[in-house]
Amino acid sequence: MSLVLVILVLLLGGAGAILAEGWHPRFPRRVALATVVLASLVLAVGLWDAEPAVQAGSGDMAVYAFVQVPWIERFGIQLLFGIDGLGLLMVALTLLLGLVAVAAAWDEIEERTGFFAANLLWTLAGVVGVFSALDLFLFFLFWEVMLVPMYFLIAVWGHEARAFAAMKFFLFTQVSGLVMLLAILALVFVHARQTGVITFDYFALLGTTFDADTGRWIALGFLLAFLTKLPSVPVHSWLPDAHTQAPTAGSVILAGILLKTGAYGLLRFVLPLFPDAALDLRMPMMTLGAVSVLYGGVLAFAQTDFKRLVAYSSIAHMGFVLLGVFAWNALALQGAVMTMVAHGLSSAALFMIAGMLQHRLHTRELARMGGLWQRAPRLGAIALFFVVASLGMPGLANFVGEFLVLIGAFGVDVPLTVAAAVGMVVAAIYGLSLMQRAFQGRVADSSAAMADLAPRELVTLAVMLVGLVWLGLEPQRVLDVSAPMVAALMDALPAAPLLLGGAP
Amino acid sequence: MSAADWFLLSPWLLLGAALLAVILVVGFWRHHGVMAAFTTAALTLAAASALLVLGATPARATIDALPLVRIDGLALLLVALFAAAGALTAAVSRRYLEGRRGDPEEYYILLMCAVFGAMTLAAADHFAIVLLGLEILSISLYTLIAYPEEDSWPLEAGLKYLILSGVASTTLLFGVALLYARTGSLGLDALAVGDGAAPLMVLTGAVMVLAGLSFKLSLAPFHLWTPDVYQGAPAPITGFVATVSKGAVVVVLLRIVAQSDLLASPQLFSILAAMAVLSMLLGNLLAVMQRSVKRVLAFSSVAHMGYLMVAVLAIGSSGGVALGTEAAVVYVVAYTVMTLAAFAVITTLSGAGATRDMDDIDAFTGLLWRQPLAAVVLAVALLSLAGIPLTLGFIGKFYLVAAGVDRGLWPLLWVLLLGSGIGLFYYLRILYALIRPTDPDVAEAARPSLAGGWVLGLLAGLLLLLGVWPMPLIEMVQGVLSYQEALPQLGVLVAPGEDSRDLQDVLGL
């Protein structure tokens, strides 16, 4: 129930924000802040000492905040909500980054503040829905619904090429989503022919058996949608434009959470529903992951736009996630989850910094920046921290995730692991290059009147800093939360041939 | 004829009486407002009576004295839909027609006439009635499209429609004649081509009938009239043509498919499939280049009819869940509501007595900030046409894809996907215009009248409500398809001959 309440709070908060603009243009942002805080409280209270409803599917899955209400009985569609460890991590990340986004937009958005806050909150509602829907129709509904307010965020408050970027974002995600709809219906009808029952219930569909070809085609349908969202090379080209042109809050949500929905989909749907097909596709997918790491890294280094550089670095980081997911052993899966959380925090922070710089200097071009550390030392120091976190410095969360992925992948395929590890070196190169071009060297003329970090900005970034340090030094807390899900996935793994003498 | 028969006929009787009354009164006294209100009321009453008859579920769907007519559940549901669409059209036309030269009362007479024709088509069980209904509908539309007659665009559109529709009707008639010559039957089962060894005359006749019907449905390659007529006609009539005129022909097509087992013939199946593919591709591709919103909607309606054909083609094969007819009927309802919503917005924004409708995409710039209600309704309609979840359009699209997947019509589904993807582009382009900052050079759009505002709110509300809670509509359609053996020889969910349920059960109350 608490998940439904969280979504409702976010939806109603959005409506309230639109009304609040009528009173005063400054009210909507406070309504937005209050709404996200309230939603977090509802989640915390709801899940405190909550009893899991254990679902006997193929393997018991402990699900919290379980809701099951018949909806469209004609097709066996229900309002089915519930989260396990992974879902909890993702929903918590969503609400946290929601707060960050509201903080980022606090002074930045001056026009149509009510509509902005509404779209922000509705996107969060859609994303929470994606992470908690356990009925495939409901999942698809939230998957598509989270696109529309995000489209508005980019199209109305974005930067110079916002129309193009918003359209590209929407088209890529929507078309791949339609392919997923075909796959969902194919899955449902295959199941219906086997059991005589039409249902979209995730737990019921877990037991469907396929012949090799059907399974692979349906899995590919799901994969296309999730790889587009992840994003993986070659369907990644919507991301640089969307991230760069979105307003800061939009970029925070896009990079921090929307990309994670793709990874979540892989872990929740592709691996458990189609284990044989996923195993067949393991090598191509891991290759795509390694390619994304390298390609994203190399292209990031080539960028001259601060935000675009960070956007390409997101592609590189999500490549690690793809690599880890399809390596399919306990270490790699945990590494993928850790990377998801860590990247959410670090990229959100980097985009926030990019937004701060753009707000102060009115440019994102690195050529017009330089020596900013002298002007704004606190901003420089914090930026250095997050760049270092992003490139995978041990002691911080990103390293834990990437390291676990590499260990896990090493047992499956050595060349790809080497390639991904080289990607970490590339990450260091572009990360430090970013620092150098923006904050060091000759002081830029445009930065004369540049203000240092305001308290609000400092607090928001400090939260993410603390998060990254804590997760880097004590990752076991997070890994414990996701461990049951990982164990369930390992159970679902069909007997795989031993590769390179390492255990699968 | 017994009392039960008169009861079955009550929608037609009501509308006919209203029509006669207006024709007689107009000879002596004219008043635009009263006429508009009376028309809206009469059409609403006709819709209500159809639903009443549906709920009362009388013993038979046929009347002994009128053997060529079949007033079953499907007919009554669609009669209610068409009458309601007509009522909404009349409601928004009131402000639109004010201030124009010439008398507006004939417009309402012709509108009621056109609805009457559509209602007749819904109940047709024989080609004579099909022709009757088709001609009543078409001839009324000729003049309505050319209304008001002082501007060249509507006149051009009306002439195009007249000539092309005449040719299409003639083709249909010739096809029927060929079928009659060979089979001796004028019933809807005359198209029974079987699976292969049909005589050439029957096949040719069937193809000509399909061609004539496809013109009305604006399926490619018979769609060429659509953009010009949609653009030239007055906006409320465009909405009417796009929804009621097509919906009525869809019912006829569904009945033909059922009674002749049309899709068992591989040739006819391929022809219909080819037309569907062509419509989906051409409709979407051609809309991309348009700058006129009405033309965009015209081409998108071509594409939507292509999507609908996927549901119709899914009726053909056997096995599975038999979603085809249900999908087609749900899609007709969804398509009607969302298209009416889009054109209602254009009508209310064009205002009273305008020489040209608000058509160019630039005229919509920043509409969300200038007129939130109209812009939100248009946005909901566009998102529904694009098939975004939470709208009725998505439920319709979901049904289509489900029907297609169930039958394994994979090539058609890939084209549907491709077409939907292309379609997003032009729908988003209009949506983007709505949210752009306001441009002082853009002319002010008219504010909706009270009636207009209500119509907009009702349509948008239906799109969102049924998008989130579609079970009432689904149960109604399921109930209708099982009532009185609506369409024989189809895999229906309730076996024919079972007791029909009353309206309460149907609505799930």
Side-chain angles (χ1 to χ4, degrees):
Chain A
M1 199 56 209
S2 41
L3 288 165
V4 178
L5 280 175
V6 167
I7 298 176
L8 276 174
V9 164
L10 289 169
L11 288 174
L12 291 172
I18 294 184
L19 294 172
E21 193 179 359
W23 274 302
H24 193 282
R26 294 256 183 254
F27 275 18
R29 61 188 186 182
R30 297 179 197 166
V31 171
L33 183 65
T35 308
V36 181
V37 168
L38 180 63
S40 313
L41 281 175
V42 167
L43 184 72
V45 165
L47 292 179
W48 202 265
D49 280 346
E51 283 300 308
V54 180
Q55 289 300 309
S58 310
D60 294 333
M61 176 177 156
V63 175
Y64 294 86
F66 189 67
V67 167
Q68 184 170 23
V69 174
W71 183 21
I72 307 180
E73 292 98 335
R74 169 71 179 93
F75 290 102
I77 296 173
Q78 308 163 296
L79 289 173
L80 203 60
F81 290 93
I83 49 175
D84 62 353
L86 175 67
L88 176 62
L89 284 173
M90 293 292 108
V91 173
L93 184 67
T94 306
L95 291 172
L96 177 65
L97 288 180
L99 285 170
V100 171
V102 171
W106 200 257
D107 277 327
E108 188 181 324
I109 303 295
E110 315 253 298
E111 298 184 348
R112 329 277 184 206
T113 48
F115 194 46
F116 181 87
N119 280 315
L120 192 65
L121 292 171
W122 290 337
T123 311
L124 291 176
V127 174
V128 171
V130 165
F131 287 136
S132 54
L134 288 172
D135 175 290
L136 257 63
F137 180 89
L138 192 65
F139 173 79
F140 181 78
L141 187 137
F142 278 114
W143 181 268
E144 299 281 289
V145 160
M146 73 181 173
L147 294 183
V148 177
M150 194 71 227
Y151 171 81
F152 283 124
L153 282 177
I154 303 177
V156 179
W157 295 275
H159 306 304
E160 66 282 357
R162 59 188 179 276
F164 172 73
M167 176 84 78
K168 206 170 170 185
F169 160 74
F170 199 94
L171 279 175
F172 264 78
T173 324
Q174 175 79 355
V175 173
S176 60
L178 279 174
V179 177
M180 182 166 73
L181 180 65
L182 276 183
I184 290 176
L185 280 165
L187 171 65
V188 166
F189 280 111
V190 165
H191 178 85
R193 284 195 175 86
Q194 282 173 7
T195 59
V197 176
I198 309 181
T199 177
F200 281 73
D201 186 331
Y202 172 70
F203 299 107
L205 291 169
L206 275 176
T208 323
T209 51
F210 308 93
D211 61 40
D213 270 338
T214 319
R216 204 176 310 129
W217 278 112
I218 303 181
L220 278 173
F222 277 91
L223 266 176
L224 184 64
F226 297 136
L227 288 179
T228 308
K229 209 59 172 160
L230 199 64
S232 163
V233 169
V235 282
H236 67 285
S237 65
W238 62 272
L239 185 139
D241 293 308
H243 277 66
T244 316
Q245 300 301 326
T248 311
S251 300
V252 163
I253 305 264
L254 257 177
I257 330 167
L258 253 64
L259 302 188
K260 313 303 177 291
T261 59
Y264 171 85
L266 291 174
L267 288 168
R268 172 73 72 230
F269 296 106
V270 176
L271 294 194
L273 286 171
F274 314 103
D276 297 303
L279 213 54
D280 282 339
L281 292 166
R282 183 194 236 180
M283 289 316 295
M285 291 297 126
M286 284 178 71
T287 314
L288 277 182
V291 166
S292 296
V293 173
L294 286 173
Y295 183 81
V298 168
L299 254 74
F301 182 63
Q303 296 307 315
T304 56
D305 177 325
F306 194 114
K307 269 179 110 169
R308 218 175 158 85
L309 192 151
V310 180
Y312 273 104
S313 81
S314 289
I315 300 180
H317 285 116
M318 297 315 279
F320 271 102
V321 173
L322 184 59
L323 187 68
V325 166
F326 276 93
W328 208 336
N329 51 56
L331 285 171
L333 287 170
Q334 289 285 41
V337 174
M338 194 67 205
T339 309
M340 283 160 74
V341 177
H343 175 258
L345 293 173
S346 66
S347 71
L350 282 172
F351 276 112
M352 233 188 119
I353 293 172
M356 287 178 212
L357 287 176
Q358 181 164 21
H359 195 60
R360 289 160 170 74
L361 302 172
H362 305 292
T363 179
R364 299 186 306 270
E365 286 298 314
L366 287 167
R368 296 187 41 201
M369 298 182 197
L372 295 179
W373 197 302
Q374 291 195 358
R375 298 278 187 219
R378 282 185 293 176
L379 182 57
I382 287 234
L384 179 63
F385 172 84
F386 284 110
V387 164
V388 149
S390 165
L391 64 86
M393 172 73 74
L396 299 172
N398 294 66
F399 170 74
V400 175
E402 290 172 3
F403 186 65
L404 286 174
V405 166
L406 288 174
I407 294 184
F410 192 80
V412 179
D413 187 281
V414 174
L416 286 177
T417 313
V418 170
V422 168
M424 286 186 81
V425 176
V426 178
I429 296 177
Y430 66 70
L432 293 173
S433 155
L434 178 69
M435 259 330 276
Q436 193 178 49
R437 283 189 274 173
F439 289 96
Q440 295 168 331
R442 197 172 66 83
V443 178
D445 302 320
S446 58
S447 64
M450 187 168 147
D452 207 345
L453 280 179
R456 162 185 59 89
E457 297 165 336
L458 186 59
V459 165
T460 319
L461 289 171
V463 166
M464 291 185 275
L465 186 151
V466 165
L468 284 172
V469 170
W470 177 55
L471 289 177
L473 296 177
E474 244 209 82
Q476 197 56 41
R477 298 298 201 104
V478 161
L479 298 177
D480 280 341
V481 174
S482 62
M485 185 229 36
V486 170
L489 275 179
M490 291 312 296
D491 285 337
L493 178 67
L498 289 176
L499 292 158
L500 293 170
Chain B
M1 280 180 52
S2 65
D5 294 337
W6 289 112
F7 180 59
L8 267 183
L9 281 175
S10 44
W12 287 266
L13 294 173
L14 268 168
L15 192 57
L19 198 52
L20 282 174
V22 172
I23 291 176
L24 288 174
V25 166
V26 155
F28 305 100
W29 178 65
R30 287 173 177 270
H31 189 286
H32 185 193
V34 169
M35 210 58 57
F38 183 78
T39 309
T40 313
L43 285 167
T44 315
L45 217 63
S49 75
L51 287 174
L52 198 70
V53 176
L54 187 62
T57 59
R60 301 179 327 265
T62 49
I63 300 173
D64 290 334
L66 300 171
L68 308 179
V69 160
R70 184 190 187 87
I71 308 180
D72 58 5
L74 185 65
L76 287 165
L77 177 66
L78 280 144
V79 161
L81 183 69
F82 298 152
L88 291 169
T89 308
V92 292
S93 303
R94 160 84 157 80
R95 171 69 69 87
Y96 185 85
L97 289 177
E98 246 162 51
R100 283 175 203 254
R101 270 209 337 242
D103 299 313
E105 288 79 14
E106 279 79 2
Y107 176 98
Y108 296 99
I109 296 174
L110 287 167
L111 189 64
M112 281 197 278
C113 227
V115 173
F116 192 92
M119 283 163 59
T120 314
L121 274 176
D125 202 28
H126 189 270
F127 271 115
I129 306 294
V130 168
L131 231 53
L132 193 66
L134 206 58
E135 289 307 296
I136 296 177
L137 177 61
S138 303
I139 294 174
S140 314
L141 283 177
Y142 298 156
T143 319
L144 280 172
I145 289 174
Y147 220 94
E149 65 283 358
E150 70 247 24
D151 196 5
S152 64
W153 272 18
L155 209 50
E156 176 189 333
L159 269 175
K160 275 185 182 156
Y161 189 70
L162 166 65
I163 295 174
L164 292 172
S165 174
V167 172
S169 297
T170 317
T171 313
L172 177 69
L173 206 49
F174 196 82
V176 170
L178 283 177
L179 290 170
Y180 179 68
R182 203 66 172 87
T183 64
S185 159
L186 279 176
L188 294 181
D189 56 354
L191 276 88
V193 177
D195 15 345
L200 185 61
M201 206 188 248
V202 175
L203 198 55
T204 318
V207 170
M208 292 183 88
V209 167
L210 282 178
L213 292 176
S214 304
F215 169 86
K216 277 291 190 286
L217 286 175
S218 71
L219 281 174
F222 306 105
H223 67 287
L224 297 167
W225 60 276
T226 321
D228 292 326
V229 171
Y230 276 44
Q231 191 175 25
I237 293 302
T238 312
F240 186 83
V241 169
T243 53
V244 172
S245 151
K246 293 197 181 168
V249 176
V250 169
V251 182
V252 173
L253 185 65
L254 285 176
R255 290 197 195 279
I256 292 178
V257 164
Q259 291 188 26
S260 327
D261 203 16
L262 197 70
L263 297 170
S265 149
Q267 298 102 318
L268 291 178
F269 190 95
S270 321
I271 290 176
L272 275 176
M275 284 202 290
V277 166
L278 213 58
S279 304
M280 289 191 267
L281 290 176
L282 274 184
N284 282 308
L285 283 171
L286 290 170
V288 165
M289 314 297 291
Q290 299 302 326
R291 289 208 53 84
S292 147
V293 172
K294 281 166 96 181
R295 279 181 97 88
V296 165
L297 289 172
F299 281 114
S300 98
S301 80
V302 172
H304 278 279
M305 285 299 123
Y307 301 154
L308 183 62
M309 281 302 117
V310 174
V312 171
L313 288 165
I315 303 177
S317 346
S318 59
V321 178
L323 282 170
T325 323
E326 198 180 325
V329 176
V330 169
Y331 203 75
V332 166
V333 175
Y335 171 75
T336 303
V337 178
M338 53 197 185
T339 310
L340 269 180
F343 282 107
V345 173
I346 299 181
T347 309
T348 51
L349 290 175
S350 301
T355 41
R356 284 284 153 86
D357 288 337
M358 180 155 159
D359 196 18
D360 189 69
I361 197 171
D362 287 333
F364 288 85
T365 307
L367 196 68
L368 183 61
W369 320 120
R370 296 185 278 145
Q371 293 206 37
L373 171 66
V376 165
V377 173
L378 185 59
V380 170
L382 289 171
L383 290 175
S384 187
L385 285 164
I388 306 291
L390 290 187
T391 61
L392 186 55
F394 172 67
I395 301 293
K397 185 155 279 177
F398 174 78
Y399 251 106
L400 292 179
V401 179
V405 169
D406 185 36
R407 300 296 204 198
L409 300 170
W410 295 107
L412 285 169
L413 285 171
W414 287 117
V415 176
L416 192 149
L417 208 120
L418 185 63
S420 299
I422 303 174
L424 275 170
F425 175 71
Y426 53 79
Y427 291 128
L428 276 183
R429 203 174 44 183
I430 306 177
L431 201 60
Y432 182 68
L434 293 177
I435 58 178
R436 279 170 61 189
T438 49
D439 186 352
D441 293 332
V442 167
E444 267 304 312
R447 307 226 138 244
S449 64
L450 187 64
W454 273 100
V455 169
L456 292 181
L458 175 69
L459 288 170
L462 266 178
L463 283 176
L464 290 172
L465 199 66
L466 288 174
V468 174
W469 190 249
M471 269 321 275
L473 174 65
I474 295 178
E475 279 174 351
M476 186 174 251
V477 172
Q478 284 187 312
V480 149
L481 289 181
S482 67
Y483 158 41
Q484 301 287 348
E485 305 159 34
L487 295 164
Q489 298 155 26
L490 297 171
V492 293
L493 302 123
V494 174
E498 234 188 65
D499 291 334
S500 17
R501 300 174 289 169
D502 64 338
L503 195 62
Q504 305 234 278
D505 290 345
V506 166
L507 287 179
L509 295 168

